[in-house]
Amino acid sequence: MNRAATTKGQTQAGVLLPALPDDLRRQEPHAPIVEGQPLISILTRERQALNRANARQGRTVQFYDDLAARYGTRP
């Protein structure tokens, strides 16, 4: 009976999750198109923006995986 009461109390208390880092909420803008610039330079800047966005997504996944491991919510 004590075990059931403890489990019920923990369930009702809920889980306080840490705050999501601000960096992970940021959207990456497209590279600006400046008239007269070579297309290759625009493409290079766009790829750099994509690399930053992909790195941010990786940090988001790692953040989630750390939470899931800590709280045992992985399926």
Side-chain angles (χ1 to χ4, degrees):
M1 188 133 173
N2 269 347
R3 188 180 313 159
T6 300
T7 301
K8 182 180 178 185
Q10 289 172 341
T11 301
Q12 288 176 344
V15 175
L16 181 60
L17 297 175
L20 185 68
D22 290 335
D23 175 53
L24 303 183
R25 294 186 184 278
R26 201 179 77 199
Q27 295 289 312
E28 191 67 43
H30 287 281
I33 297 175
V34 179
E35 193 172 329
Q37 279 192 332
L39 290 178
I40 193 71
S41 68
I42 296 168
L43 179 60
T44 300
R45 288 194 319 274
E46 189 68 24
R47 288 185 62 89
Q48 290 169 346
L50 179 60
N51 288 340
R52 288 189 301 271
N54 285 341
R56 190 166 26 260
Q57 180 187 17
R59 291 190 302 276
T60 303
V61 169
Q62 185 62 50
F63 181 82
Y64 174 81
D65 288 346
D66 289 346
L67 283 178
R70 185 178 309 158
Y71 296 110
T73 58
R74 291 293 293 200

